[in-house]
Amino acid sequence: MSEPFALLLTVLVLLTAGWIVTVRERRAAVLGFIAYGLLLALVWIRLAAVDVALTEAAIGGGATGVLLLRVAARLGDLRPMSAQPGRMLKWLAGLVCAGVSLALMALVLALPDPAPSLAGAAMEPLARTGLGNPVTAVLLAYRALDTFLEIIVLLLALIGVWSLGPDRFWGGRPAAWYEGTPSSALTFLARVLPPFGIVIAGYLFWIGADEPGGKFQASTLLAAMWLLTMMAGLVAAPRTGSPALRGALAFGPLVFLVVGLAGIGWGEGFLAYPDRFAKPLILLIEAALAVSIVAALALMVAGPAERNTP
Amino acid sequence: MTHSLVSAATLLGLCACGMVGIGLYGLIVRPDALRKLLSFNILGSGVFLLFGVIGRRGAAAGLEGDPVPQAIVITGIVVAFSATALAATLLVKISDAENALPDAGREEDEA
């Protein structure tokens, strides 16, 4: 794997991006976007960022793809947000955008050498956390506050999604995926895949401490398995008002907050872990966060409550 | 770090710049709201990739890339998904309102 592979990826990514932007059919654009997400995952692998590649494939391609397919199927004719631009305006926009790209390219070619890096600073205290994967250490030890705020953003977005449903269905269930009976192939997959998905998610979760992987990738996989069973109609989407669901959503951030506040008691400050217990505490936070992330991701894709069936 | 690795990273950096341009073009030119959302995501992924390339160039201390940008991009991908989910749901809401659903009456009866 060297430059020919990078060149091929570059061409494919840019062609797919161009296809998504120019193709006439909405559905074709969404399918293009899923392919685009998977291509990007390959690009991240080429950049030796396997953690990011897994996240991009799972969330960028998978979760966003399913969400957009559901939405594209529901959308009727939308009033255009702006007038169809004329030939002149298109050329002008093309020139401006090409200018932006070229300016960025000039910056990429002018990047300083040797590049500034925090790799050394990230590796140095790694032993104190008991972790082997520096990316996990950044996410949950050095920059734990970012991850904490991220889960809050996830919950805020979910509240936003829920609040877009009709008022009279607040606390009810998201709309069923299909009006009729789903195909037998889908039902079969929804019965066969989840056991494998759960095992792989458990592996990704556990290995994330030392190797590429972690709670996000594992949680997305679990959310996907849950959505699959919902799509096939094997389980109903949960009532958005159910206390168990609300509890699962709040569990992760609460555990994170309690451990974080305890850090002040240990004298180190908010979200600091005592050295001896760093790894168990990080695993505890990750496990709690995983519960909340699975629920938040799956329900964001499922959409707001639109029926009151008990 | 060998020379070939540097140039592959640079090549993908140029690819990221192209993605930003294509996303921006779609955002400006396509009137359809869903297409604007997709274009915005392309623009965003270009920015993430640019950041990733800069992280790859920061390979040091026995690592193949700087872990800090990688962690921040992972956070960014999840946040971008949240924003996309919110925007997409908003589009459905707008579409339902504009097209006065044929089954709106049925929903009314259930309530």
Side-chain angles (χ1 to χ4, degrees), chain A residues 113-182:
Chain A
D113 211 13
S117 175
L118 290 169
M123 285 306 275
E124 190 191 332
L126 194 62
R128 284 178 54 201
T129 64
L131 299 170
N133 180 354
V135 178
T136 305
V138 174
L139 280 173
L140 283 150
Y142 318 144
R143 299 294 310 168
L145 188 62
D146 291 351
T147 308
F148 179 62
L149 292 178
E150 170 187 20
I151 181 75
I152 301 293
V153 167
L154 216 55
L155 292 186
L156 284 177
L158 181 62
I159 294 170
V161 166
W162 279 355
S163 62
L164 289 170
D167 280 355
R168 61 185 183 281
F169 296 134
W170 179 258
R173 295 178 194 274
W177 220 276
Y178 288 109
E179 289 293 326
T181 17

Side-chain angles (χ1 to χ4, degrees), chain A residues 3-98:
Chain A
E3 280 122 303
F5 185 61
L7 189 63
L8 179 69
L9 279 176
T10 299
V11 172
L12 282 177
V13 164
L14 292 180
L15 280 180
T16 318
W19 158 267
I20 298 165
V21 165
T22 53
V23 70
R24 199 170 288 273
E25 283 269 311
R26 264 193 202 138
R27 199 180 162 78
V30 170
L31 290 174
F33 192 77
I34 297 174
Y36 175 79
L38 296 177
L39 282 171
L40 276 188
L42 288 178
V43 170
W44 285 108
I45 289 178
R46 184 65 192 86
L47 289 172
V50 183
D51 291 271
V52 186
L54 286 169
T55 313
E56 177 63 46
I59 296 188
T64 312
V66 177
L67 169 83
L68 291 172
L69 278 178
R70 182 179 71 79
V71 167
R74 269 280 302 263
L75 282 185
D77 289 330
L78 272 177
R79 195 183 313 149
M81 287 178 73
S82 51
Q84 185 68 40
R87 180 177 294 258
M88 182 70 186
L89 192 62
K90 276 188 176 171
W91 273 102
L92 202 61
L95 277 178
V96 168
C97 297

Side-chain angles (χ1 to χ4, degrees), chain B residues 22-47:
Chain B
I22 292 173
L24 191 59
Y25 179 78
L27 195 59
I28 297 174
V29 166
R30 296 302 301 253
D32 179 43
L34 184 69
R35 207 62 63 93
K36 283 196 195 288
L37 185 57
L38 289 177
S39 301
F40 198 69
N41 266 296
I42 294 175
L43 202 169
S45 61
V47 175

